[in-house]
Amino acid sequence: MQAMELRRQDYHVERPLLNQERLEELGHRGPVPPTRQWRSWFQCSRARVRALLLQYLPVLAWLPRYPVREWLLGDLLSGLSVAIMQLPQGLAYALLAGLPPKYGLYSSFYPVFIYFLFGTSRHISVGTFAVMSVMVGSVTESLAPDETNPQAPNSTVSEMDRDAFRVQVASTLSVLVGLFQVGLGLVHFGFVVTYMSEPLVRGYTTAAAVHVLVSQLKYAFGLHLKSRPGPLSLIFTVLEVCWRLPQSVVGTVITTLVSGLVLVLVKLLNDKLQQHLPIPLPGELLTLIGATGISYGVKLNTTFGVDIMGTIPTGLDPPVAPRPELFPKIVGNAFTIAVVGFVIAISLGKIFAMRHGYRVDSNQELVAIGLSNFIGGFFQCFPISCSMSRSLVQESTGGNTQVAGATSSLFILIIILKLGKFFRDLPKAVLAAIILVNLKGMLLQVKDIGSLWKTNRVDLLIWLVTFVATLLLNLDLGLLVAVVFSLLLVVVRTQLPQYSILGQVPGTDVYRDVAEYSEAKEVPGVKIFRSSVTMYFANAELFSDALKQRCGVDVDHLISRKRKLLRKQEQKLKRLQKQQSHRQAAAPNGTFFSISINNGLDANELNTMNSAKASTEDRAVATVEEEAKALDTSSLKALGLPQPGFHSLILDLSAFSFVDTVCLKSLRGIFQEFREIEVEVYMAACHRPVVAQFEAGRFFDASITKQHLFATVHDAVTFALQQSGPRASDPDLATKF
């Protein structure tokens, strides 16, 4: 170890100084060949057709290679487990969407099978989801309230007519959501998920869980509440629930409490016996069957006034065309639901993909979820996404591919065709209890506040703003406010970067912030300045101000004094030149003569006087010229002004990712101002795209050349020291460190 350490200490690097010009010569830099990827879009060949088919229909790629012996049994058991969860959740989330229960079963069948064909994630469970259902419910209840007919606001309508209209709204919404998602997927808009950070998504889903909880209070207490769409609807609903609590149906409250207690106990038992059970105990299904049997036996509806599901028709309804006249009313909600559904699906998909070592194509996922919603809308489904609880069950029970999803959809089909009628006496309070218990995971995300407070308070701010905005403004406006705030926060953070003066770590070519590293020392005569973010129009002025402040020189004041003194010099020089011109005008030929008029002086005396006058005049002219030469200087030292404590300024541009026109103008201004106070400016560590933008913006000219741009900070420091020392620029001198 000691020998290895000594070898490390003896390690040396020796190479020529590299400015941008020499680096381009040495590396033979040339233009990057254009990719012209669009040309491949118009190519037609058998290989191209096959590639497109496998890209947009992934099942053809993995199903022929499906290892039946290793994976089939696990997928079948996993599909059965997911179907057991899918049944009660489908019924419950249809209630959450304000629709009859059978449409929750439809939404658990058609979209799941379509995703089996087009999806790229092997483990997510597509179908009904609480957040999506409550967003759909806000749309259906706003267009078809409980009290009135949307087409005749002053007339009361039957529950059947209201439900029929809500089904039309929900299915039309599903078609429009699918159109948005497929369109965005085809234009490769999957990157939109990058604009929704994890704190934003978790804050949003936590607030959505609160919306779901409040929406189920009327079923848990047996109350009949008014529909309140729009901002602050959550607050008004909570106040109305509190106001009407004395009207609660005791039988409904007891049913909710008992069902919830059973579900919680079964979940705790599953957690405790997880190592010993091949599949989790189907607590939701057992509660569903038990509650239906008890309700049928003791007549909960007629005896205790507990609301039940009512008749659930068996069989599949024929496809129905959407209603385009509803598009203008729901287009905003459709786009929001499309984005939220995709973000939830791709977030879960990437988690499972990283865990199991495969790749999820975000654009194809957008297409797959979109086709599930689009085609499902024609079969009267409402918009779907994926459920974390079902996805975890699908993975933990041995699911390896979407064969598990297809298996669960076939079980749901059997229930739709044959078994749906047996749940006629199922109390709605049991479904409310199932929803409320399943909200535990999302509601516990409120613990993020404590962890984010310790790790990243900016992310905490995003979480809180998203949560509060979604609670107060509803799910659609809340998401918009959250995304806009998150993007604005990114802009604000670029305006509050960390500026630092760098010093050299002894014995290395490494330069670090002198305020942070006590051993890092500034290079005598050289200032090295670095910003933690790129400079652009929003922070260019801040960059310049911070640079002048950190350099310890009042550049603007020094330039102002210098220019003022130079103006005085210029005025004095003009006066001297004017005096000289007047003297020359008095004797243009430079000779003097006099006329003697019997004054008693002879010719010799006159010549002597003329010679003395000429000599005096010559001395005066020479004095004027000497004074003019003395005034003809602009150096700080000659002007009596203080000089900066450094001769070179190096701008570390390693954090720059792009430049704009304002950045280029600011950099030119920095060069001009510091050169005016006799400080030479260099740039270092610039990335290739930024160099290309410098060239495109015509930044380099006769005064600022590529010789002022160096490959590393150490190159720039070495060159600056050479220029200031006795050995002026020696281009072949090597840097040693």
Side-chain angles (χ1 to χ4, degrees):
M1 291 296 294
Q2 291 179 352
M4 185 180 296
E5 190 65 29
L6 287 174
R7 282 198 297 271
R8 287 175 180 170
Q9 292 177 0
D10 292 339
Y11 181 72
H12 294 280
V13 174
E14 186 170 336
R15 61 171 174 78
L17 278 175
L18 291 178
N19 56 35
Q20 184 63 29
E21 190 175 86
R22 296 197 65 190
L23 182 62
E24 292 178 2
E25 293 176 0
L26 187 64
H28 299 286
R29 183 192 176 205
V32 179
T35 56
R36 294 190 176 93
Q37 188 176 1
W38 56 270
R39 289 184 176 181
S40 63
W41 300 346
F42 304 100
Q43 294 176 355
C44 185
S45 64
R46 182 177 298 179
R48 174 70 175 162
V49 172
R50 185 176 182 275
L52 286 175
L53 193 62
L54 295 179
Q55 178 183 351
Y56 290 108
L57 202 61
V59 68
L60 298 179
W62 62 265
L63 191 58
R65 302 195 302 269
Y66 182 78
V68 177
R69 291 184 178 180
E70 291 84 357
W71 286 1
L72 182 59
L73 181 59
D75 281 337
L76 291 177
L77 290 175
S78 176
L80 177 60
S81 303
V82 171
I84 291 172
M85 291 184 65
Q86 190 90 275
L87 169 61
Q89 289 186 3
L91 297 173
Y93 294 154
L95 195 70
L96 192 58
L99 303 174
K102 71 172 184 178
Y103 298 103
L105 298 179
Y106 288 175
S107 300
S108 302
F109 167 62
Y110 290 108
V112 177
F113 190 75
I114 295 167
Y115 184 83
F116 164 76
L117 300 174
F118 296 96
T120 60
S121 175
R122 295 179 355 210
H123 293 90
I124 65 172
S125 175
V126 173
T128 56
F129 182 53
V131 174
M132 300 289 288
S133 298
V134 76
M135 296 179 76
V136 173
S138 66
V139 178
T140 57
E141 291 181 4
S142 64
L143 295 180
D146 293 331
E147 301 85 5
T148 59
N149 185 340
Q151 297 175 344
N154 295 324
S155 65
T156 303
V157 296
S158 66
E159 185 177 347
M160 186 178 298
D161 293 337
R162 181 205 65 190
D163 289 344
F165 184 71
R166 285 184 177 180
V167 170
Q168 292 175 348
V169 172
S171 60
T172 303
L173 180 66
S174 182
V175 170
L176 193 54
V177 167
L179 284 174
F180 276 127
Q181 291 175 329
V182 172
L184 294 175
L186 291 177
V187 297
H188 289 202
F189 203 68
F191 68 89
V192 70
V193 71
T194 59
Y195 293 102
M196 301 182 70
S197 63
E198 183 180 358
L200 187 150
V201 173
R202 291 177 70 85
Y204 182 79
T205 53
T206 306
V210 176
H211 276 277
V212 173
L213 185 150
V214 172
S215 69
Q216 294 306 294
L217 293 179
K218 61 181 179 180
Y219 298 111
F221 292 102
L223 301 175
H224 297 280
L225 307 178
K226 295 180 181 178
S227 298
R228 298 181 182 274
L232 300 180
S233 60
L234 183 77
I235 307 299
F236 291 129
T237 303
V238 171
L239 293 176
E240 187 176 1
V241 168
C242 295
W243 180 261
R244 297 197 178 192
L245 272 181
Q247 304 173 14
S248 301
V249 179
V250 177
T252 302
V253 176
I254 293 175
T255 303
T256 304
L257 291 176
V258 172
S259 302
L261 182 61
V262 171
L263 289 168
V264 170
L265 290 176
V266 173
K267 286 183 179 292
L268 292 175
L269 190 61
N270 279 329
D271 292 339
K272 191 171 184 179
L273 301 178
Q274 184 178 8
Q275 305 272 337
H276 308 286
L277 294 175
I279 61 174
L281 294 175
E284 295 173 342
L285 182 62
L286 294 176
T287 304
L288 212 65
I289 295 172
T292 303
I294 294 172
S295 175
Y296 177 77
V298 301
K299 306 296 182 186
L300 287 179
N301 179 243
T302 57
T303 306
F304 300 100
V306 178
D307 288 338
I308 60 174
M309 298 300 296
T311 304
I312 302 178
T314 56
L316 297 173
D317 290 343
V320 177
R323 296 181 59 175
E325 64 271 16
L326 294 175
F327 283 177
K329 300 178 182 179
I330 62 176
V331 62
N333 301 93
F335 185 79
T336 303
I337 294 172
V339 173
V340 172
F342 168 64
V343 169
I344 293 170
I346 194 63
S347 300
L348 284 177
K350 287 187 175 181
I351 290 173
F352 289 114
M354 286 189 293
R355 187 178 300 176
H356 293 275
Y358 63 92
R359 181 178 176 273
V360 171
D361 186 346
S362 59
N363 293 307
Q364 180 58 26
E365 283 295 292
L366 197 49
V367 172
I369 297 291
L371 286 174
S372 299
N373 282 315
F374 177 74
I375 298 174
F378 287 92
F379 292 93
Q380 300 177 326
C381 300
F382 56 85
I384 55 89
S385 183
C386 70
S387 166
M388 174 170 282
S389 60
R390 293 198 309 271
S391 299
L392 290 172
V393 169
Q394 180 169 320
E395 181 205 29
S396 62
T397 54
N400 293 292
T401 65
Q402 283 301 324
V403 170
T407 303
S408 70
S409 68
L410 292 178
F411 280 115
I412 295 296
L413 177 61
I414 295 172
I415 294 170
I416 293 173
L417 295 177
K418 298 296 182 182
L419 304 179
K421 59 185 178 181
F422 294 110
F423 295 101
R424 183 180 69 86
D425 293 304
L426 174 64
K428 292 182 179 180
V430 175
L431 297 179
I434 291 174
I435 293 173
L436 294 176
V437 171
N438 281 321
L439 291 177
K440 174 190 171 185
M442 286 191 289
L443 291 175
L444 287 179
Q445 291 178 155
V446 74
K447 294 180 179 178
D448 292 350
I449 295 176
S451 60
L452 291 175
W453 175 263
K454 297 176 182 177
T455 57
N456 194 320
R457 295 183 183 179
V458 175
D459 284 345
L460 174 61
L461 183 61
I462 294 174
W463 196 101
L464 291 175
V465 169
T466 303
F467 181 77
V468 174
T470 306
L471 283 185
L472 299 180
L473 302 178
N474 253 351
L475 296 169
D476 48 357
L477 292 177
L479 179 64
L480 178 63
V481 170
V483 173
V484 171
F485 177 78
S486 181
L487 295 177
L488 285 177
L489 198 59
V490 172
V491 176
V492 170
R493 292 172 78 176
T494 63
Q495 291 184 293
L496 300 172
Q498 179 182 358
Y499 298 112
S500 53
I501 294 294
L502 305 185
Q504 186 179 21
V505 177
T508 71
D509 67 329
V510 178
Y511 294 82
R512 290 293 181 265
D513 187 356
V514 294
E516 185 177 356
Y517 291 80
S518 58
E519 289 299 318
K521 305 298 181 183
E522 291 189 46
V523 179
V526 179
K527 287 285 184 181
I528 309 170
F529 180 79
R530 181 172 65 191
S531 169
S532 61
V533 299
T534 189
M535 178 169 62
Y536 67 113
F537 69 91
N539 64 1
E541 187 175 354
L542 298 174
F543 183 96
S544 300
D545 293 342
L547 170 63
K548 296 171 184 177
Q549 180 183 359
R550 294 300 177 91
C551 287
V553 178
D554 193 343
V555 178
D556 296 329
H557 180 65
L558 191 57
I559 291 176
S560 176
R561 290 182 61 190
K562 178 180 178 180
R563 291 176 179 176
K564 186 176 180 180
L565 291 175
L566 287 176
R567 282 196 299 270
K568 289 183 178 180
Q569 277 192 354
E570 187 178 358
Q571 292 173 358
K572 189 173 182 180
L573 183 61
K574 286 181 179 180
R575 286 198 303 269
L576 290 174
Q577 291 175 346
K578 190 175 182 180
Q579 292 174 4
Q580 182 181 4
S581 63
H582 285 324
R583 289 193 182 99
Q584 290 178 350
N589 295 325
T591 58
F592 299 89
F593 62 93
S594 64
I595 300 174
S596 176
I597 308 176
N598 197 19
N599 53 6
L601 297 175
D602 59 11
N604 292 329
E605 291 176 341
L606 289 174
N607 289 334
T608 301
M609 292 176 61
N610 287 335
S611 298
K613 289 180 180 179
S615 175
T616 302
E617 195 65 28
D618 289 341
R619 286 196 300 269
V621 172
T623 302
V624 170
E625 291 178 352
E626 289 176 1
E627 290 181 0
K629 289 180 180 179
L631 291 175
D632 189 17
T633 180
S634 60
S635 67
L636 295 175
K637 185 176 181 180
L639 293 173
L641 295 175
Q643 295 177 278
F646 56 97
H647 53 76
S648 300
L649 170 65
I650 298 173
L651 302 177
D652 183 356
L653 306 185
S654 57
F656 281 33
S657 56
F658 68 93
V659 293
D660 58 7
T661 55
V662 177
C663 174
L664 297 179
K665 290 180 180 179
S666 297
L667 287 176
R668 287 194 186 99
I670 290 170
F671 270 84
Q672 180 180 354
E673 290 176 349
F674 277 87
R675 283 174 172 175
E676 199 163 349
I677 62 171
E678 302 170 12
V679 174
E680 188 55 64
V681 183
Y682 303 99
M683 300 178 294
C686 199
H687 300 298
R688 186 195 63 80
V690 178
V691 175
Q693 291 171 12
F694 278 150
E695 294 172 338
R698 298 181 180 179
F699 177 75
F700 298 113
D701 53 20
S703 61
I704 306 175
T705 67
K706 290 184 179 180
Q707 295 182 359
H708 292 89
L709 177 59
F710 289 86
T712 66
V713 172
H714 193 70
D715 286 329
V717 170
T718 306
F719 183 79
L721 294 177
Q722 290 176 9
Q723 292 294 96
S724 65
R727 293 182 301 170
S729 67
D730 182 1
D732 294 324
L733 188 66
T735 61
K736 297 182 180 180
F737 47 87

